[in-house]
Amino acid sequence: SPLALSFSGIAGQSTSLPSQAVNITASGACANTLNWTATVATTPPGGTWLSATSQGTVSVTSASATSVNVAVSTLTTGIYTGTLTITATDSQTGVVMGSPQTVSITFNVQPPCMLQALPVTEETFSARVGTNPAAQTFTASATGTCKGSVTIRPNVSFDTGTGWLTVTPNPATIPSGGTTPFTVSVNS
């Protein structure tokens, strides 16, 4: 048990995800300890993202478990599937006991948290001497799988002079999947 496992990670994530256990028990009239082996397979074949503890022993009085692990670091966004198959043999005779048990595994790799490309890359102002031009706005958004909110601190740099251009809010907090408008003002 269980007959299905589900994992979720973020593309490019370097930290390991917690493993999940599949409990293995023996029932019925097993006179001897059983040796079990666990094999993994991925769809498409050859994936290296899925692994499990490969062997152990179990009896009617002593349960066992295999630890199932997934690695996300080399995967792109998408849903990956695989199976874990557990086969038991009698430890004395080597005879296969019962039918192999299969656990379905689904791994949902979500996109990383990132700032969307800005809709404008520059703002142009014009005004008559002694007046400030109208403020302009642009919107920033965070997409992907963000843990909490994203904080943006606009950086204003000047070729000449200082303090005549402001961007507000500064800083701004964007909720995961949300947007925040920014206002660019000229103060002559």
Side-chain angles (χ1 to χ4, degrees):
S1 72
L3 295 179
L5 295 177
S6 179
F7 292 87
S8 183
I10 300 170
Q13 181 176 349
S14 60
T15 56
S16 297
L17 296 173
S19 61
Q20 293 187 36
V22 174
N23 295 322
I24 301 169
T25 58
S27 62
C30 296
N32 300 317
T33 300
L34 301 178
N35 295 325
W36 60 263
T37 57
T39 55
V40 295
T42 59
T43 304
T48 58
W49 58 269
L50 179 61
S51 64
T53 309
S54 60
Q55 61 189 10
T57 60
V58 64
S59 69
V60 291
T61 60
S62 178
S64 187
T66 181
S67 180
V68 180
N69 301 287
V70 295
V72 68
S73 62
T74 61
L75 299 178
T76 58
T77 301
I79 296 177
Y80 297 82
T81 59
T83 56
L84 168 73
T85 302
I86 299 170
T87 305
T89 58
D90 185 297
S91 64
Q92 300 300 312
T93 66
V95 173
V96 174
M97 303 300 290
S99 299
Q101 298 296 302
T102 301
V103 178
S104 297
I105 299 168
T106 303
F107 188 15
N108 182 8
V109 179
Q110 301 170 348
C113 179
M114 56 193 305
L115 184 63
Q116 276 293 83
L118 297 175
V120 295
T121 56
E122 65 180 57
E123 301 281 1
T124 303
F125 295 91
S126 62
R128 289 195 291 227
V129 174
T131 64
N132 288 330
Q136 297 183 34
T137 63
F138 66 91
T139 301
S141 60
T143 62
T145 307
C146 305
K147 291 187 178 195
S149 299
V150 176
T151 300
I152 298 176
R153 290 178 175 82
N155 182 25
V156 178
S157 58
F158 302 94
D159 286 338
T160 58
T162 60
W164 57 268
L165 182 72
T166 58
V167 179
T168 56
N170 189 358
T173 301
I174 301 175
S176 180
T179 62
T180 296
F182 289 88
T183 301
V184 182
S185 303
V186 173
N187 307 306
S188 56

